[in-house]
Amino acid sequence: MKKRILTILFFVSGPLLLFAQSQNALDFDGIDDQVIVQDGSQYIAGSSQISLTFWVYPKNNVTTFPDYDGFAGFRNNSDGDFYIVQLPGNTVECRLRNSTGAAYDVVYSGLILNTWQHFALTYDGATLTLYHNGVFVGSQPASGVITNSFIPFLIGNLPWTSADFLLYGQMDEVSLWNTALTAQEVACIYSNGINTSSSGLDIYFDFNQGIPGGTNTAITSLTNSAGILNGSLNGFQLSGNTSNFVAGIPSYATPDSATICQGDVYLFGSQTLTTAGVYTEAFPGFGGCDSLVALTLNVNSVDTSVTQIDFSLTSNQANASYQWLDCQTGYSILPGDTLAAYDPPIDGTYAVAVTYGGCTDTSSCYTIVGVGITELHQQSMWMTSANPVADQLQLNVNSPGTLVITDVSGRIVKSGQTLYKGNQVVPVGFLRSGIFIASLYTSSGVVHIRFMKR
C-alpha cells in the first residue's frame, strides 16, 4: 500500500488554560504516611539557586501545634531547610535555612482547604520568592547556600525536633530544581505542566503509578522522572480511597487521538510515528510556554490475505467492503463484484481491494487457470517418481496437454511446458521446498497432481 504522511497541528489558547484528563495523585492520611528521598539535598548542595513546586489538596482544618502539615522540601532545622509547611488556619510558612544556620521566611495566608492549588518556592541567591497558583504572593531577601548533601527530601512530612508534621491531604506533581525558576516559568508550569527535559530539573514525581483506589501494595517507591533518586513510600496502606494512589489534578496534556492505516506515517511535532501507542510532545505556546500535548495513536490494519479453493477466491477480512480487480488490466475494477467471495468467469489474475476501519489495502494477485474445463480422472496423468521429488518430476501422461505448476496459494511458478503421451520429465529443481500442484490442461479437461518438493 502506498504510504501517506499525515500531519497534526496544535494551537495553544494561552498560559492559564488547564485541561481535563484523569491521572493520579497520592493521598496522605496524616498519621504515618510520607515519601522519603534519601540524600535528596545532594541535587542542590552548594547551589545558590533552588526551586520547589507542587500541587497540594490540604484537608486539615485543625492545625494546632504539633498537628501542622508538612507539604514538601528539606528540613533538618540546623544547616539545611527549604520547605513549605501549613501552619494554623490558611497560613503557610516557607523557609530557606543556609549552611550557617541563618533562616529566611516567607509567610503567606492564602491557603485554601479542600481545593487543589499550586505552590512554587524559588531562591536565586538574593531573594526567596513564593508563588500561589502561578502568581507572585510574597518574597524575602535571603543569602547563602545549603552545603549538606545528606538531607532527605520529604513529601508529606517536615519534622521539627521530635514532632512530625504529617500531611492530611493529597499531593501531585512535586518537583525540585537546582535553578531559580522565573515568574514566567512558574506561570508556565502552573498552566502547562513540567517538561521533563527542562534544564535544572532534578526531582519530578508525577504520581501516575498504580490504580486509583485499587490494590497497589506491590508498589514500594515513587518513580523520579527526572533523576536517579526515587522516593520510598512509608506508612501507606496502598489500598482503598485513602493512604493510596487516588485521582489527581487535571492534566495539562490535552488527550488527543488519531488513527492511521498500516503503512501510513504520522507527523507529531518532532516525532515520526508509525506504530500504535501514547506519545507526548512539547509545542511552543503563548508567552514562551511549552504546551505538553498527549496523543493516543491507533493503527488500523487490513487483512489482505485470500483463500483460493479451486476456481473460487475469498477475502479473509470479515465485515469489510470489497472490490475485486483484474490484475492483467492494471488493477481495473470488475463492476458489480463487491462480495467477499469471487468466482471468476474466465481464466485470469485477480486481486481484491478491501476497505476496513477507514483503511483500504489491496491483496496480492491470484491466478485462476482452467475455468470451464472438465476435471479429468486422476488416471489421465500420474506420478512415476518418488514423492517428495528432488530435481525432476516424472509423469505418465495419457493425453497430451499444457502443464501449469502452482503453489498452494494459486501462484503460478511454472507454465507453458507441453507434455506428450507417455513418460515425461519436468525439471523442478528451481522450486523451493514445499507443496505444489501440477495441472495438465488438455482438449478434454484438466487433471491435477499434488506433489512435494524437498
Side-chain angles (χ1 to χ4, degrees), residues 359-438:
C359 300
T360 300
D361 206 350
T362 302
S363 72
S364 301
C365 292
Y366 292 81
T367 299
I368 298 294
V369 179
V371 175
I373 297 180
T374 303
E375 293 278 346
L376 297 177
H377 191 273
Q378 193 68 24
Q379 292 303 313
S380 297
M381 179 179 70
W382 63 93
M383 289 181 58
T384 58
S385 56
N387 195 12
V389 302
D391 297 327
Q392 293 182 339
L393 175 63
Q394 298 177 12
L395 302 171
N396 190 289
V397 178
N398 275 339
S399 300
T402 300
L403 182 72
V404 175
I405 298 179
T406 60
D407 60 19
V408 291
S409 69
R411 184 174 64 92
I412 295 177
V413 296
K414 180 179 176 64
S415 64
Q417 181 175 348
T418 300
L419 300 186
Y420 299 97
K421 187 175 181 179
N423 292 322
Q424 301 289 308
V425 175
V426 179
V428 292
F430 66 94
L431 296 177
R432 70 180 190 283
S433 298
I435 298 174
F436 298 88
I437 300 172

Side-chain angles (χ1 to χ4, degrees), residues 308 310-312 342-348 350 367-375 441 446 448:
Q308 179 175 358
D310 295 328
F311 308 126
S312 180
Y342 178 55
D343 297 318
I346 59 174
D347 290 354
Y350 303 94
T367 299
I368 298 294
V369 179
V371 175
I373 297 180
T374 303
E375 293 278 346
Y441 294 88
V446 61
H448 308 285

